[in-house]
Amino acid sequence: MTILLLGSGGREHALAWKMLQSPLCGKLFVAPGNAGTAAIAHNVNISPTDFDAIKQHVLANGVNMVVVGPEDPLVKGVYDFFKNDPELKDIPVIGPSQHGAQLEGSKEFAKKFLIKNNIPTAAYDSFTKETVEEGCKFLETLKAPYVLKADGLAAGKGVLILNSLEEAQDELRSMLVDAKFGDASAKVVIEEFLDGIELSCFVLTDGKSYKILPTAKDYKRIGEGDAGLNTGGMGAVSPVPFADAEFMQKIEERVVKPTIAGLKNDNIEYKGFVFIGLIKVGNDPFVIEYNVRMGDPETEVVIPRLESDLVELFVAVANSKLDEATLTIDPRSAATVMMVSGGYPEDYEKGKVITGLENVEGSIAFHAGTTLKDGQAVTAGGRVIAVTSYGNDFKEAIKKSYQNIDKLNFDKMYFRKDIGFDL
Ligand code: AMP
Ligand code: GLY
């Protein structure tokens, strides 16, 4: 098969690495890819949201399947674009329909879906510019801290957690009236604060049946001890040690089954990954968010633990035969540590030469924000390289990643030295 993978992050390098291990994978294109995918596949300089260019490439190169990494093209309807085009309709897209992608594209849609399907989640209400004063009153009925979420996609920055009522009311006005996050905050969801420890559950579905992939926990803050600004993720471990069989059973019964049943009941076409963000409150799972794609850097620990053939699973998803597929998981732990550009998640410089990649031993260096310049890998984003390792437990895996990171360098490189500290 000829496959086109959309995206350019560590997630896509990990997906490409895994798909290429499949005997079913002939040629693999990555649009636009990074220096890591360039070394193993064929990068094509197309934006994942330029559907016309994607169409041309697919038809000109005999692409048989499209796998979508990031949320943007899904929320913009790449699945439906293929389905509604006479020349593309028989080429499967791995990812949900635009309707399904609303689970990530609209926080309010996700909350309504959760409540309708009796899936445990924080109590909430949503407000617009017209009802901003009601929103301020609603905040008065809640206890601190206050959780405000921009309804739409806001590049991971749309959730604010505030300690004082006054601050929360000011921020609500700024989101709704001053369009702090542009159109994304034309509507704001205000939620009850859930106090607990976070983890993520990943599911692959064909819309009828599902397979639960390994759990993961990521570390979002830039600073050690989970301090400072939110990032896309500074590291991750899989499995999550506290997600034992009993807790996983609760996740499957209370969250995964009703999620898949809810998609089916509402006739929402969904052939792809569901990333369920959870908080463990006491001994019970609560959903804080859905994403309609794999996580980054969670993919860099989840996918390496998958022993099954990923392309075979995607074919089963496309043919609505996932119930006939088997999933086997590597019992070892995996951990990844993200090396980032100094300054990230605020301003940072690009174009720094990355050295030492050829010396990495016993770990996998998944590229994220990198590109090739004169044949050399240079930095091209905030998150640069995710160094993934296996171990008998997550501590052993993390130790190996740190040993290999010692061999890598670029100007102003930074990484967290405490991944897994809370486990
Ligand atoms: P989200 O983009 O919805 O995942 O929110 C970003 C982060 O905000 C999450 O990873 C949590 O750490 C936190 N968060 C979101 N919703 C809640 C909530 N209801 N209670 C506590 N923390 C939350
Ligand atoms: N690491 C969090 C995410 O991919 O959304």
Side-chain angles (χ1 to χ4, degrees), residues 111-126:
K111 292 301 289 192
K112 284 187 172 155
F113 180 89
L114 288 161
I115 304 284
K116 179 175 172 188
N117 292 290
N118 276 315
I119 300 168
T121 188
Y124 84 105
D125 206 343
S126 61

Side-chain angles (χ1 to χ4, degrees), residues 11 218 220 232-233 275 289 291 293-298 383:
R11 167 182 50 215
D218 85 331
K220 283 209 179 72
F275 162 171
E289 65 164 344
N291 294 302
R293 51 171 174 86
M294 285 297 292
D296 196 348
E298 292 91 332
R383 295 191 294 169

Side-chain angles (χ1 to χ4, degrees), residues 215-219 235-241 301 334-336 394 398 419-420 423:
T215 54
K217 183 174 192 328
D218 85 331
Y219 291 82
V237 301
S238 175
V240 179
V301 291
T336 198
F394 74 88
I398 289 169
I419 298 306
L423 296 175

